[in-house]
Amino acid sequence: MSQKPKTYFNWSSGKDSAMALHYLLEQGNYDIDRLLTTVNAHYNRVSMHGLPRKVLESQAASVGIPLEVLEVPEKPSMEQYNDLMRSTVTQLRDYGYTHTGFGDIFLEDLKQYRENMLQPYGLTTLFPLWKKDTSELIEEFLALRFRAVIICVNNSKLDASFLGQELSRELIAEFPSNVDPCGENGEYHTFCFDGPIFKTPIPFSVGEKVFKAYDDPSNSSKSIQFGFCDIELETL
């Protein structure tokens, strides 16, 4: 019997990661024994999503796959990030990893970036959600009884009132027509706290909301405001 490829999964803590990991585990073709997550060391939170590290660790414990954290500084340059990622990938390759999974759906430039970054290391990239219809995908997510709350919104796309709300068919129906159902264009990010990949739900409460402005990468004279809501881990 041939051995399954040693695989690590790039875990963002949100719904797309959860769905992609579920697909790969269901296929049963890969030995997925590590989750890799980028954490901002200054804030001790998941990059982009803003999820506290303790909650991330609770997720990994419930999924039952060991977590590896890639720490980045408060405001890493692209060069700094790439150097840190190369160091981590080199180590993973030396550990015997040959495959890695992602939750990307249709952003071609991001997929190309990942493939170009990892190709020199001989790593095969897996994109189980690639090109799937996002309306059908979010419906499947809910039908599988995954649960997630919105913890980050791009305020130019979604109102702050969506922060802290649990994803549901009714909530998605309230999205403006130009918002992708899965938020694949960066409209929103989520924290997934229950579903078929979890042994037990993550106990949590929604904390305070904060708003931050970031430079618009497409227009240096403008900024984009993002809203975040804190997630506080509760003990049972």
Side-chain angles (χ1 to χ4, degrees), residues 3 45 89 111 155 167 180 210:
Q3 189 174 3
R45 294 174 180 268
V89 170
K111 181 174 183 284
N155 288 137
L167 281 182
D180 181 78
V210 297

Side-chain angles (χ1 to χ4, degrees), residues 44-111:
N44 216 22
R45 294 174 180 268
V46 176
S47 297
M48 292 299 295
H49 289 218
L51 189 73
R53 184 166 177 164
K54 284 186 177 181
V55 186
L56 167 68
E57 291 169 347
S58 183
Q59 274 187 322
S62 183
V63 171
I65 299 177
L67 174 70
E68 176 156 338
V69 168
L70 169 59
E71 292 188 344
V72 298
E74 180 181 3
K75 294 180 179 179
S77 66
M78 201 63 196
E79 184 178 0
Q80 284 178 307
Y81 174 80
N82 286 340
D83 285 345
L84 288 166
M85 182 58 75
R86 289 188 188 100
S87 176
T88 299
V89 170
T90 297
Q91 188 177 55
L92 289 166
R93 180 197 60 189
D94 292 346
Y95 288 159
Y97 287 91
T98 59
H99 290 61
T100 182
F102 295 92
D104 301 309
I105 304 173
F106 60 66
L107 296 182
E108 295 277 359
D109 55 343
L110 184 56
K111 181 174 183 284

Side-chain angles (χ1 to χ4, degrees), residues 7-184:
T7 305
Y8 70 91
F9 185 83
N10 296 271
W11 177 258
S12 73
S13 74
K15 59 175 178 45
D16 297 339
S17 265
M19 197 68 173
L21 180 58
H22 172 71
Y23 272 27
L24 291 175
L25 292 173
E26 284 289 293
Q27 290 171 11
N29 298 325
Y30 308 95
D31 176 19
I32 304 172
D33 64 357
R34 190 170 305 212
L35 303 179
L36 176 65
T37 305
T38 302
V39 167
N40 187 301
H42 179 78
Y43 297 106
N44 216 22
R45 294 174 180 268
V46 176
S47 297
M48 292 299 295
H49 289 218
L51 189 73
R53 184 166 177 164
K54 284 186 177 181
V55 186
L56 167 68
E57 291 169 347
S58 183
Q59 274 187 322
S62 183
V63 171
I65 299 177
L67 174 70
E68 176 156 338
V69 168
L70 169 59
E71 292 188 344
V72 298
E74 180 181 3
K75 294 180 179 179
S77 66
M78 201 63 196
E79 184 178 0
Q80 284 178 307
Y81 174 80
N82 286 340
D83 285 345
L84 288 166
M85 182 58 75
R86 289 188 188 100
S87 176
T88 299
V89 170
T90 297
Q91 188 177 55
L92 289 166
R93 180 197 60 189
D94 292 346
Y95 288 159
Y97 287 91
T98 59
H99 290 61
T100 182
F102 295 92
D104 301 309
I105 304 173
F106 60 66
L107 296 182
E108 295 277 359
D109 55 343
L110 184 56
K111 181 174 183 284
Q112 191 68 53
Y113 166 77
R114 301 197 198 286
E115 291 173 335
N116 291 343
M117 167 73 78
L118 298 173
Q119 188 273 334
Y121 301 90
L123 284 164
T124 299
T125 49
L126 307 170
F127 297 89
L129 306 185
W130 190 245
K131 294 297 185 182
K132 290 188 178 293
D133 182 279
T134 50
S135 294
E136 294 176 4
L137 194 58
I138 197 68
E139 174 59 35
E140 184 179 4
F141 179 86
L142 296 170
L144 286 168
R145 300 196 176 184
F146 274 107
R147 300 179 70 188
V149 294
I150 295 177
I151 60 171
C152 172
V153 294
N154 179 335
N155 288 137
S156 69
K157 304 290 182 66
L158 273 180
D159 186 82
S161 63
F162 286 95
L163 278 173
Q165 295 205 53
E166 182 174 345
L167 281 182
S168 65
R169 294 173 182 86
E170 293 75 20
L171 187 69
I172 293 163
E174 295 178 16
F175 287 175
S177 59
N178 63 339
V179 171
D180 181 78
C182 285
E184 181 67 354

